[in-house]
Amino acid sequence: MVAINDWRKRRLDNILVSPVLDFFDEEIVTAKGMNYREGQANMALDIAEAFRDNKNIIVEASVGIGKSFAYLIPALLVNQISGRPIIIATSSIHLSEQLLSDAKQAAKLLNRSVNVVVGKGRNNYSCLNRAYNLKVGNDSNFNRL
């Protein structure tokens, strides 16, 4: 008998990990007119496996590796599967705006529609105090999606 977690893992391999592997396949990437980056493909696979296994992951990657697509592609697939929003926090407004463009391009490459919301400024910044106040219902200024 197959354990439920084994079944879930195999199912997510088919609907998440396999499409990520396909998307970042060297021949497919170059056929789409993009540059193949082995580090990007490995990072995307690591992220897809972290989603599949419901684990956290910390990734450090050099400049120019294509980090945005490496996490946006698995994130968009997870969003499609779960229907739940994916939240990506950045350290700068410039990077948030770049991710807006990258998310739209990634969705187009996946033939999927995407609804992207960019939250800028102090009203969209979270800290432990604001998260607690939101949980207990004391923070009416916190923007809710």
Side-chain angles (χ1 to χ4, degrees), residues 62-116:
S62 60
V63 173
I65 199 169
K67 293 180 284 292
S68 296
F69 280 86
Y71 59 78
L72 284 170
I73 297 298
L76 289 171
L77 291 169
V78 166
N79 171 258
Q80 179 190 1
I81 294 163
S82 69
R84 296 177 66 193
I86 301 295
I87 299 171
I88 300 172
T90 70
S91 60
S92 71
I93 290 174
H94 176 73
L95 181 55
S96 295
E97 291 172 348
Q98 179 62 48
L99 286 176
L100 174 65
S101 171
D102 290 347
K104 289 178 181 179
Q105 187 178 2
K108 185 176 179 181
L109 290 168
L110 288 171
N111 267 339
R112 295 189 176 30
S113 62
V114 63
N115 181 23
V116 180

Side-chain angles (χ1 to χ4, degrees), residues 2 5 13 17 19 28 46 50 54 65 72 81 100 105 115 118 121-122 127 140 145:
V2 176
N5 286 338
D13 276 342
V17 177
I28 294 172
D46 289 342
N54 198 29
I65 199 169
L72 284 170
I81 294 163
L100 174 65
Q105 187 178 2
N115 181 23
V118 176
R122 289 177 60 172
C127 63
S140 61
L145 297 179

Side-chain angles (χ1 to χ4, degrees), residues 2 21 37 45 90 117 128 134 136 141:
V2 176
L21 284 170
R37 300 172 184 166
L45 181 58
T90 70
V117 177
L128 290 177
L134 180 63
V136 298
N141 293 321

